[in-house]
Amino acid sequence: NLLVIEEPEAHTHPQMQYIFIKNIKKLLAEGIKRDDGINRPLQYIITTHSSHIVADSNFDDIKYLKTEAKNNVTAKNLSDLRKQYETNPSQYQFLKQYLTISRAEIFFADKAVLIEGDTERILIPTFMRKVDLEEAARLKAEDTEEIFLPLLSQNISIIEVGAYSQIFEKFIEFLGIKSLILTDIDAINDDETACPVNEGTKTSNSAIKHFLKEITWDDLKALPIGDRTIPLGSSIVCLCYQQEEDAYHARSFEDAFIHSNREFVKGSKATFQGLKNASYFDDDAKGPYELAGSCIKKKTHFALDILYHSNKDFSNWNIPAYIKNGLLWLKED
């Protein structure tokens, strides 16, 4: 008694996918009523590419299939992932709840970008588009036959993980997908107080302290991307945070963006909804760190301001180098 339902999402919109999986589980749980009155349980398999169906499925019932090569597919039980977190079951519980509630699409991704918050969630797709446009223009100018696969045509999942990217380490290794972690260097001094990078003595960033715990502060500030790239079984992770750019080392995204795009912000400061103390941008003595701390009223509004004031090909501002380099790394196979 085995029922196989193949990709039920093929002809249904997301709301119907939720309704389908809820109803089919309830219906099939009733089993098969035989003529002699005995109910026999029915085993069923549902194959799917739908994050909506996965999100409403029992985590331990999911089998993850991944193509390794032609005619070579591996199958893994998500229930086995629990063993990877035996030393810290609370992390497994967090991962399980987070993925099934809001981020099940990562199961179907070939690559992932792990970001800290709303600012990156708003801007990363636009950054990807800008990288694609710049790469296409470069190849056209060079008249090269180099193969170009745009970021936005790749199967990349953007996952907002806050300060918990290190919790996803074993999960990324389990999935075997290439992943980029975008985070902040978060410089602090010996008093554990936030400060400019050039006054810092260490980082408060939990992801950096986890993945690069053996690296000294001075080395961390100038660490090449190759030394921030970490193999995880069949997967690989690259950690990208602010690097020195044009003789300045930013501490946060806003700090880095203002440094690279001060004139862009200054020219439209009157209509930037995410700014306060906008007149500070007229004072050349105030650096990007101070401006980021004193002038950003709300980070999400500032991110939307960037989009609103962009021209059609996003050429009137620059992507902070640490993000652009990370996206170029992710773009490659």
Side-chain angles (χ1 to χ4, degrees), residues 119 122 184 252 254 274 296-304:
T119 298
I122 292 168
D184 292 332
S252 66
E254 290 76 17
I296 302 297
K297 182 166 57 178
K298 193 166 185 180
K299 292 182 177 182
T300 52
H301 289 175
F302 182 70
L304 292 169

Side-chain angles (χ1 to χ4, degrees), residues 89 186 195 197 229 281 284 287 320:
D186 289 334
C195 64
V197 174
T229 303
F281 278 85
D284 293 339

Side-chain angles (χ1 to χ4, degrees), residues 95-142:
L95 186 72
K96 175 180 175 181
Q97 291 178 339
Y98 183 78
L99 290 173
T100 52
I101 290 173
S102 59
R103 290 294 180 266
E105 72 268 13
I106 194 172
F107 288 108
F108 308 103
D110 297 321
K111 299 177 181 179
V113 183
L114 276 58
I115 59 174
E116 288 198 351
D118 289 336
T119 298
E120 293 86 356
R121 176 181 54 80
I122 292 168
L123 290 173
I124 289 300
T126 300
F127 289 166
M128 288 182 173
R129 175 63 175 159
K130 182 173 169 64
V131 167
D132 287 344
L133 290 171
E134 290 175 354
E135 284 292 283
R138 179 184 66 82
L139 294 177
K140 182 178 180 180
E142 294 176 358

Side-chain angles (χ1 to χ4, degrees), residues 61-259:
D61 288 343
I62 298 171
K63 289 184 179 291
Y64 177 72
L65 286 82
K66 179 176 175 60
T67 302
E68 302 291 353
K70 186 177 181 180
N71 299 324
N72 180 11
V73 176
T74 59
K76 302 177 181 179
N77 298 316
L78 252 66
S79 57
D80 294 337
L81 190 61
R82 187 193 305 268
K83 301 172 186 176
Q84 307 268 351
Y85 289 87
E86 282 180 340
T87 57
N88 199 332
S90 62
Q91 289 189 356
Y92 174 78
Q93 187 62 26
F94 164 81
L95 186 72
K96 175 180 175 181
Q97 291 178 339
Y98 183 78
L99 290 173
T100 52
I101 290 173
S102 59
R103 290 294 180 266
E105 72 268 13
I106 194 172
F107 288 108
F108 308 103
D110 297 321
K111 299 177 181 179
V113 183
L114 276 58
I115 59 174
E116 288 198 351
D118 289 336
T119 298
E120 293 86 356
R121 176 181 54 80
I122 292 168
L123 290 173
I124 289 300
T126 300
F127 289 166
M128 288 182 173
R129 175 63 175 159
K130 182 173 169 64
V131 167
D132 287 344
L133 290 171
E134 290 175 354
E135 284 292 283
R138 179 184 66 82
L139 294 177
K140 182 178 180 180
E142 294 176 358
D143 193 23
T144 178
E145 295 183 1
E146 179 183 337
I147 296 175
F148 170 59
L149 182 61
L151 278 162
L152 288 180
S153 70
Q154 298 185 38
N155 186 13
I156 299 173
S157 183
I158 301 171
I159 307 296
E160 188 178 332
V161 299
Y164 297 101
S165 58
Q166 65 276 10
I167 293 178
F168 287 75
E169 177 184 12
K170 295 182 178 67
F171 181 65
I172 293 297
E173 181 177 1
F174 180 87
L175 295 180
I177 60 175
K178 186 178 186 179
S179 300
L180 171 66
I181 297 174
L182 292 175
T183 192
D184 292 332
I185 196 169
D186 289 334
I188 56 175
N189 56 31
D190 289 334
D191 295 329
E192 307 288 324
T193 303
C195 64
V197 174
N198 63 349
E199 297 175 13
T201 57
K202 52 188 171 181
T203 178
S204 63
N205 187 284
S206 56
I208 294 175
K209 290 193 288 187
H210 174 79
F211 288 103
L212 303 172
K213 55 181 175 290
E214 304 298 331
I215 308 298
T216 66
W217 172 247
D218 286 338
D219 289 341
L220 193 69
K221 290 188 291 183
L223 201 64
I225 194 167
D227 294 332
R228 291 181 272 115
T229 303
I230 304 157
L232 297 174
S234 60
S235 178
I236 190 167
V237 168
C238 182
L239 202 69
C240 285
Y241 50 85
Q242 292 80 19
Q243 303 284 300
E244 185 173 298
E245 188 175 356
D246 297 327
Y248 178 75
H249 202 141
R251 184 184 189 273
S252 66
F253 166 76
E254 290 76 17
D255 186 2
F257 188 87
I258 289 171
H259 169 66

Side-chain angles (χ1 to χ4, degrees), residues 8-10 12-25 46-58 62 99-108:
E9 72 275 9
T12 53
H13 58 73
Q15 184 60 32
M16 283 300 297
Q17 292 170 31
Y18 276 119
I19 294 171
F20 167 81
I21 193 64
K22 286 181 182 296
N23 288 343
I24 200 71
K25 288 194 296 184
I46 299 174
T47 65
T48 184
H49 289 92
S50 167
S51 59
H52 305 289
I53 290 176
V54 170
D56 205 62
S57 298
N58 187 315
I62 298 171
L99 290 173
T100 52
I101 290 173
S102 59
R103 290 294 180 266
E105 72 268 13
I106 194 172
F107 288 108
F108 308 103

Side-chain angles (χ1 to χ4, degrees), residues 317-330:
W317 49 265
N318 299 308
I319 305 172
Y322 75 99
I323 296 179
K324 183 175 182 178
N325 291 336
L327 292 175
L328 287 172
W329 173 87
L330 188 69

